[in-house]
């Protein structure tokens, strides 16, 4: 893996070069092993939280971890194109627009002891903007090369906070063209429901049950690229003990192995259907 400046990452993408890099400010990683008509994203995988914010943050390290999506990059790391955030959503949330990407409150609790200065906010928002410049270049290149592409937008959620039974997998589709993509969305839901987990974990998969696909990553790509389908794919945190901050590596490994097969199969089917 290389450390690359933003302009160099974008140049490599536009030149369709193969590379793996971390941005020069260490805010995100991108890997392109091959140019294919699909990509995987893990925008909430990051846990870094810059040191100058530590003393001012009321939320503990565990509280931040609880609301992040740990291991979502590892679930898709074997795919040819993967882009993932390195920073915690508590510094800036890549799945929110620039106006509200820097939290004031988080999950009903004040985040900062003292309001952040405009300088502090600007540091975070610059990293948010840089990430989306790369996303734009990537999707623009894939659409131009293939005519159509699919983005698997990986997230996780805290199932224990719900007071009802919730699905292992949730697909959020409110902000995509359901008339156009309904059948391939259903195919993806069905594929996820067939995964066999260890430890007697069920693989129940539903659409718009817990979340509806309102994230900025999906909205940004959908707004700017008419021939890209973004599948907001949420897994309940059955792969960890969310109360004790313990990861179950055997479950993460199962998800990774299953998605290694299921994502490219689904992506190829979608591409065959919608390519120009």
């Amino acid at each position: 893996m290389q450390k690359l400046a933003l302009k160099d990452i974008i140049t490599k993408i536009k030149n369709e070069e193969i590379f793996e890099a971390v941005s020069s400010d260490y805010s995100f990683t991108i890997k392109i092993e091959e140019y294919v008509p699909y990509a995987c994203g893990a925008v909430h995988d990051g846990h870094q939280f810059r040191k100058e914010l530590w003393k001012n943050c009321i939320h503990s390290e565990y509280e931040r971890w609880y609301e992040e999506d740990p291991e979502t990059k590892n679930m898709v790391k074997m795919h040819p194109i993967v882009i993932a955030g390195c920073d915690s959503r508590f510094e800036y949330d890549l799945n929110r627009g620039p106006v509200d990407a820097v939290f004031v409150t988080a999950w009903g609790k004040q985040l900062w002891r003292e309001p952040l200065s405009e300088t502090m906010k600007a540091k975070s928002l610059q990293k948010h903007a840089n990430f989306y410049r790369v996303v734009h270049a990537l999707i623009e290149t894939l659409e131009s090369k293939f005519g159509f592409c699919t983005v698997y937008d990986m997230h996780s959620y805290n199932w224990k906070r719900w007071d009802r039974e919730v699905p292992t997998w949730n697909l959020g589709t409110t902000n995509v063209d359901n008339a156009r993509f309904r059948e391939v969305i259903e195919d993806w839901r069905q594929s996820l429901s067939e995964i066999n987990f260890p430890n007697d974990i069920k693989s129940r998969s539903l659409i718009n049950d817990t979340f509806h696909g309102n994230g900025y990553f999906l909205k940004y790509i959908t707004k700017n690229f008419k021939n890209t389908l973004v599948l907001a794919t949420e897994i309940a945190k059955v792969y960890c003990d969310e109360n004790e901050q313990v990861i179950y590596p055997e479950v993460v490994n199962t998800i990774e192995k299953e998605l290694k097969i299921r994502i490219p199969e689904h992506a190829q089917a979608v591409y065959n259907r919608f390519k120009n």
Side-chain angles (χ1 to χ4, degrees):
M1 180 180 286
Q2 308 170 70
K3 180 175 76 170
L4 293 175
L6 181 72
K7 63 180 179 60
D8 296 323
I9 292 174
I10 292 173
T11 297
K12 284 182 177 293
I13 292 170
K14 290 184 176 180
N15 290 339
E16 297 183 21
E17 295 181 39
I18 303 304
F19 71 102
E20 184 174 7
V22 61
S23 61
S24 58
D25 62 3
Y26 293 97
S27 63
F28 68 91
T29 61
I30 182 168
K31 177 191 74 170
I32 303 179
E33 296 176 332
E34 178 186 2
Y35 284 83
V36 294
Y38 78 94
C40 297
V43 299
H44 283 159
D45 183 76
H47 188 60
Q48 291 178 166
F49 192 64
R50 72 177 195 263
K51 192 172 183 178
E52 64 182 343
L53 299 173
W54 291 3
K55 289 183 180 179
N56 194 33
C57 184
I58 297 171
H59 284 239
S60 68
E61 185 273 338
Y62 165 73
E63 289 175 302
R64 298 195 299 271
W65 176 88
Y66 183 84
E67 303 295 352
E68 295 159 355
D69 296 352
E71 301 296 328
T72 47
K73 178 182 176 182
N74 282 334
M75 292 173 189
V76 295
K77 66 182 180 181
M78 299 302 292
H79 295 277
I81 304 175
V82 180
I83 186 167
C86 297
D87 294 327
S88 173
R89 66 193 303 188
F90 282 79
E91 181 181 342
Y92 58 97
D93 192 331
L94 288 170
N95 215 29
R96 296 191 182 192
V99 173
D100 58 358
V102 177
F103 297 164
V104 175
T105 61
W107 288 271
K109 179 179 175 181
Q110 189 74 21
L111 183 55
W112 310 109
R113 291 184 171 87
E114 299 292 337
L116 291 184
S117 68
E118 291 305 312
T119 299
M120 289 285 197
K121 291 179 185 177
K123 285 184 181 181
S124 297
L125 291 175
Q126 185 61 60
K127 293 193 279 188
H128 184 283
N130 290 347
F131 179 84
Y132 277 96
R133 286 179 63 190
V134 172
V135 168
H136 196 102
L138 176 62
I139 304 305
E140 187 175 56
T141 298
L142 295 180
E143 266 204 11
S144 176
K145 184 175 179 65
F146 297 105
F148 189 92
C149 70
T150 307
V151 176
Y152 296 85
D153 176 20
M154 301 300 299
H155 295 270
S156 63
Y157 76 96
N158 302 89
W159 67 273
K160 291 183 179 180
R161 68 173 12 142
W162 294 77
D163 60 2
R164 62 175 175 86
E165 184 179 9
V166 291
T168 318
W169 299 95
N170 179 86
L171 303 184
T173 68
T174 301
N175 289 288
V176 300
D177 187 343
N178 282 270
R180 185 182 183 192
F181 297 124
R182 182 175 289 107
E183 291 185 10
V184 295
I185 291 169
E186 171 57 25
D187 290 343
W188 184 227
R189 186 209 64 77
Q190 178 62 35
S191 181
L192 293 171
S193 74
E194 295 168 356
I195 292 175
N196 292 315
F197 285 98
N199 308 335
D200 297 319
I201 297 169
K202 293 191 295 185
S203 193
R204 184 166 168 258
S205 180
L206 296 176
I207 296 173
N208 297 328
D209 182 83
T210 48
F211 299 94
H212 295 80
N214 289 317
Y216 184 70
F217 185 66
L218 180 152
K219 287 181 176 179
Y220 179 88
I221 295 173
T222 300
K223 178 182 177 181
N224 288 284
F225 300 97
K226 300 308 178 187
N227 286 309
T228 298
L229 168 61
V230 184
L231 291 167
T233 303
E234 299 253 5
I235 182 169
K237 289 183 178 176
V238 295
Y239 61 88
C240 69
D241 186 326
E242 62 194 61
N243 294 326
E244 299 295 330
Q245 199 172 353
V246 174
I247 298 292
Y248 305 146
E250 77 281 17
V251 182
V252 175
N253 184 252
T254 294
I255 298 166
E256 178 195 346
K257 287 183 175 179
E258 290 282 349
L259 295 183
K260 183 179 178 181
I261 297 169
R262 294 175 186 277
I263 286 179
E265 284 182 347
H266 183 262
Q268 187 62 52
V270 176
Y271 180 63
N272 291 342
R273 180 160 183 170
F274 293 106
K275 65 183 177 182
N276 293 335

